Amino acid sequence: MAILTSNKGKNLLASLLASAVKNDLLNPLILKAIERRFDKEENVAYLRPSQPPGCVRDRFVLGRALIKSLNRSLIDSRTPASVRRALFLFLFETLLPNPRVRKAREEFRERYGADLPGFLVISPGKACNLNCKGCYAGSGPSREKLRWDVFDWLVTEMENRWGSRFVVISGGEPFIYRSEGKGILEMAQKHRGSYFMVYTNGTLIDEKMAERLADLGNVTPAISVEGFEETTNERRGKGVYARIIEAMRNLRDAGVPFGISVTATRQNLHEITSSEFADFYFDEMRATYGWIFQYMPIGRAYTLDYMLNAEERLYLWRKTWEMILEKGVFISDFWNHGPAVLGCIAAGRGGGYLYVNWNGDVTPCVFVPYSPVNLNEIYEKGGTINDIWDQPFFAEIRRWQRNYGYDKPADEVNNWLAPCLIRDHHLEFREFLRKHSPKPIDESAEKALQDDEYVRGMEEFDREYGTLSGEIWDRYYRKPVPFEIIFEETSEIGARAK
C-alpha cells in the first residue's frame, strides 16, 4: 500500500494503465472491471445506505453512461498518452491519498461529523470577451480577479484538507485570467494530480492552445452552446458559433476530451432535446460529456421570461433520460438529475461543493449570489478552507439538505426532483437570508431582495412545479419503475410542453 500512495507509485501505475487502456486485448478487461461496480443497480447505492428505488435507478444509468463515454475518449486513436495518464493519476490521487491527506480527512469527520465536500467551483476572473444575455456572472473589468497566491492556496487547501482532486473553473472567461503572468494552464501544470474542468465560451481555443491542453492532459474544456448556429449567436453574439465549432475541431484533432455546457431556456428547449442536437455534438463533434444548466433568474438583467415553466422542466427531465438511454451519451441536468446525486449538492455538502468568485466571495452555489465570508480575509488571517466551510449560513443549508432527505430513510426522503433551495423552495431560502444576512455579491442580487414581483413569480413557480413533480416523484421514484414504462406513461408531458 505504501508504494501505491507514494507519488512515484501512482505515477508509474497511471503510466502503465494509460498504455494498457489502448491495448485491444486489455481494454475490455479494464472496462469490465470498472463497470462491475455498476453492473447491478444495487451496487450504486453506496453513498447513503437508504435511497428511494428511483434514485438508485438514476445513479445506475447515469454512472454507466459516464463510464462508457470516458472509455470512448480513452480508446480514441487521437487521444495522447498524456491525457489517459492524467485521468488515471487523478483517480489514484482521489482513491489512494497519502497518509497526510488521510489524516486530514479523518480529522474533518471527527471534528464536524460530516462527509467531506467533493470539489470547488472557482471563478478566478470576471473578465469576459463576450456579453451573453442573462449570464449569471455578467462581465466586467479584468482587475476583478483572485491573486495567484490566493488561487493557488485555495486549490492546495482543497487537495490537502479534503483530499479532493477535482477543480471546476468558471468565469468570466477562464482563459482570459492572468495574475503574476500565470493563468489556468499554469495552475493545472502546478497541480498535476488534480483534474480541471473549465467552463469556457471556447473562442480562445486555437490549435496552439489545444496542443498545450493535450500536453497537460489534466484539463477538459466544457464549451458553452445554446443549440445550433442561430440560437447560439442570438445569445452569445454574431459569429460566435463558428468560433465554437472551430475550437471543438481543434480539441478533437489534438485528442483532448471536451464537453458541452448548455443553458436550457424557454427559447431553446426543443432544439437542445432533439436527436439532431445529440447526433451533431456527441457523434460528429465527438463531445465526451454534456451539462445542462436550466436558466436561473439571477445575475445581470435577471428575468423570469427565460426560465422554464413547470411543464417544460418536466419535459426536459423526460427528454434527457431518453437521450442518455437511446443515444448512449452522458449528459446531466443539475436540477432534474437531483435524484441521482441525492438532492442539492451546494454549501459543501458531502460530495458537493462551494463556489468562490473573482472577489473572493464564497457562496453556497454558483446560482446563490449571497456570501457570508470572503476567501481573501481567511487567507490573510492564516485560516484554512475549513474555516470557510464552517460558516453558519452554509451549515444551515446543509441542515436543510439533511432534513429534506440526505440523512433520511428512503421512505422519508422528500421530492429530489425539486432539490434546489433558491429556485424550488424560494420562500424558505428567503428565511435563511433573513436569519444569516449574507452579503449580496452584486447589484442584481441586492435588487432581487427588494423585488416583490420576482418573489411572487418564484413562489408561483414553486407551487406549480412542486405539485407536478411531486406526482412524478411519488409514482416513479418511491418504487422501482423501469424507464421504458416511465417514457410510455409520461408521453403527454411532451405534448403539453410544446
Side-chain angles (χ1 to χ4, degrees):
M1 178 59 74
I3 184 65
L4 291 179
T5 58
S6 70
N7 290 335
K8 184 177 180 180
K10 284 182 280 196
N11 276 291
L12 176 60
L13 190 54
S15 296
L16 290 174
L17 282 173
S19 298
V21 78
K22 285 293 291 289
N23 185 287
D24 291 340
L25 295 177
L26 292 176
N27 177 266
L29 299 178
I30 296 171
L31 182 60
K32 187 173 183 60
I34 297 173
E35 284 189 318
R36 192 171 295 124
R37 189 160 189 168
F38 291 87
D39 63 357
K40 296 180 181 179
E41 291 188 10
E42 56 264 29
N43 287 350
V44 304
Y46 61 87
L47 187 59
R48 276 290 182 270
S50 181
Q51 299 172 30
C55 297
V56 178
R57 176 199 62 226
D58 285 11
R59 291 172 68 78
F60 167 66
V61 173
L62 206 57
R64 184 178 59 187
L66 177 59
I67 289 170
K68 291 184 176 180
S69 294
L70 286 174
N71 192 60
R72 281 196 293 269
S73 290
L74 289 172
I75 64 174
D76 192 309
S77 60
R78 290 168 292 200
T79 303
S82 54
V83 169
R84 299 194 303 273
R85 179 184 172 280
L87 278 168
F88 284 118
L89 183 58
F90 160 65
L91 290 175
F92 296 146
E93 291 284 8
T94 300
L95 300 174
L96 301 169
N98 63 48
R100 178 168 51 85
V101 171
R102 289 204 306 273
K103 182 180 178 182
R105 283 179 168 182
E106 292 167 0
E107 290 174 348
F108 183 96
R109 290 192 176 97
E110 183 177 343
R111 177 177 179 182
Y112 299 111
D115 294 330
L116 286 129
F119 61 103
L120 287 171
V121 178
I122 308 170
S123 291
K126 188 178 182 181
C128 185
N129 58 332
L130 300 182
N131 191 33
C132 305
K133 296 178 182 178
C135 176
Y136 78 87
S139 59
S142 59
R143 66 176 179 272
E144 294 186 67
K145 60 186 176 184
L146 290 177
R147 293 201 325 258
W148 172 266
D149 58 329
V150 178
F151 185 12
D152 180 45
W153 171 84
L154 181 59
V155 175
T156 303
E157 282 281 293
M158 182 197 73
E159 293 172 339
N160 291 339
R161 295 188 187 276
W162 295 350
S164 175
R165 293 285 180 164
F166 186 53
V167 188
V168 179
I169 304 295
S170 187
E173 168 50 46
F175 289 120
I176 287 179
Y177 170 81
R178 304 296 291 177
S179 175
E180 299 179 19
K182 290 172 280 193
I184 300 303
L185 301 188
E186 285 76 19
M187 188 63 68
Q189 174 71 44
K190 182 172 183 182
H191 296 269
R192 296 305 297 265
S194 289
Y195 202 81
F196 293 76
M197 183 172 70
V198 181
Y199 287 111
T200 172
N201 61 44
T203 60
L204 302 179
I205 303 176
D206 55 16
E207 289 184 8
K208 184 177 179 181
M209 179 178 284
E211 290 171 0
R212 188 172 179 197
L213 290 169
D215 290 339
L216 282 170
N218 63 335
V219 181
T220 176
I223 299 177
S224 298
V225 298
E226 309 300 331
F228 294 113
E229 184 168 14
E230 182 179 351
T231 313
T232 298
N233 285 346
E234 194 278 330
R235 185 176 185 219
R236 296 188 168 269
K238 185 178 180 180
V240 170
Y241 180 80
R243 296 165 70 185
I244 287 173
I245 298 305
E246 184 63 26
M248 290 182 179
R249 292 195 179 103
N250 292 335
L251 292 167
R252 183 186 62 193
D253 293 345
V256 178
F258 69 91
I260 58 172
S261 173
V262 189
T263 301
T265 69
R266 303 196 72 180
Q267 287 70 30
N268 72 353
L269 173 62
H270 295 284
E271 186 171 327
I272 66 173
T273 55
S274 67
S275 293
E276 293 79 9
F277 178 87
D279 291 344
F280 177 73
Y281 285 108
F282 290 101
D283 291 340
E284 185 174 340
M285 301 313 299
R286 305 297 292 176
T288 301
Y289 57 88
W291 301 114
I292 296 176
F293 294 91
Q294 296 180 32
Y295 169 79
M296 289 287 284
I298 61 171
R300 183 183 65 246
Y302 67 86
T303 174
L304 298 179
D305 294 341
Y306 294 136
M307 189 172 79
L308 302 180
N309 64 31
E311 189 78 16
E312 290 164 338
R313 180 164 162 184
L314 288 173
Y315 174 76
L316 180 61
W317 162 78
R318 182 177 181 273
K319 293 297 289 184
T320 50
W321 282 117
E322 284 184 357
M323 190 181 298
I324 291 165
L325 287 161
E326 294 175 6
K327 301 293 184 179
V329 300
F330 176 83
I331 186 164
S332 183
D333 176 339
F334 283 92
W335 287 265
N336 284 336
H337 290 164
V341 295
L342 312 185
C344 170
I345 62 172
R349 193 206 77 178
Y353 80 103
L354 289 167
Y355 171 63
V356 182
N357 77 358
W358 40 82
N359 291 321
D361 297 317
V362 187
T363 71
C365 168
V366 172
F367 300 103
V368 178
Y370 303 95
S371 171
V373 64
N374 189 276
L375 167 71
N376 295 308
E377 295 173 4
I378 297 294
Y379 175 75
E380 296 298 337
K381 292 177 181 177
T384 74
I385 196 172
N386 292 338
D387 297 324
I388 298 171
W389 179 89
D390 195 29
Q391 294 292 314
F393 180 53
F394 300 150
E396 183 87 60
I397 294 174
R398 292 192 294 268
R399 190 157 44 246
W400 177 85
Q401 292 164 341
R402 292 194 298 271
N403 292 334
Y404 195 74
Y406 189 60
D407 270 346
K408 295 289 186 179
D411 58 355
E412 295 180 21
V413 173
N414 285 292
N415 177 10
W416 274 334
L417 285 172
C420 181
L421 183 57
I422 188 173
R423 185 184 187 190
D424 302 327
H425 308 272
H426 193 74
L427 293 185
E428 197 165 357
F429 172 70
R430 290 266 172 162
E431 289 299 318
F432 293 170
L433 292 182
R434 280 189 280 271
K435 180 177 179 180
H436 296 282
S437 299
K439 181 191 76 171
I441 65 172
D442 55 38
E443 184 178 342
S444 294
E446 175 70 35
K447 182 179 177 182
L449 292 176
Q450 315 301 327
D451 189 338
D452 292 338
E453 184 178 351
Y454 171 77
V455 176
R456 284 194 297 271
M458 295 296 286
E459 183 181 6
E460 182 181 346
F461 171 84
D462 288 358
R463 281 198 302 268
E464 183 180 358
Y465 180 70
T467 299
L468 292 178
S469 64
E471 296 172 1
I472 298 291
W473 174 261
D474 289 338
R475 187 175 182 88
Y476 301 119
Y477 283 86
R478 294 199 181 280
K479 56 186 178 181
V481 180
F483 273 112
E484 290 78 9
I485 293 177
I486 294 175
F487 295 154
E488 180 181 346
E489 294 183 354
T490 61
S491 59
E492 75 282 358
I493 289 177
R496 290 199 301 262
K498 290 181 180 178

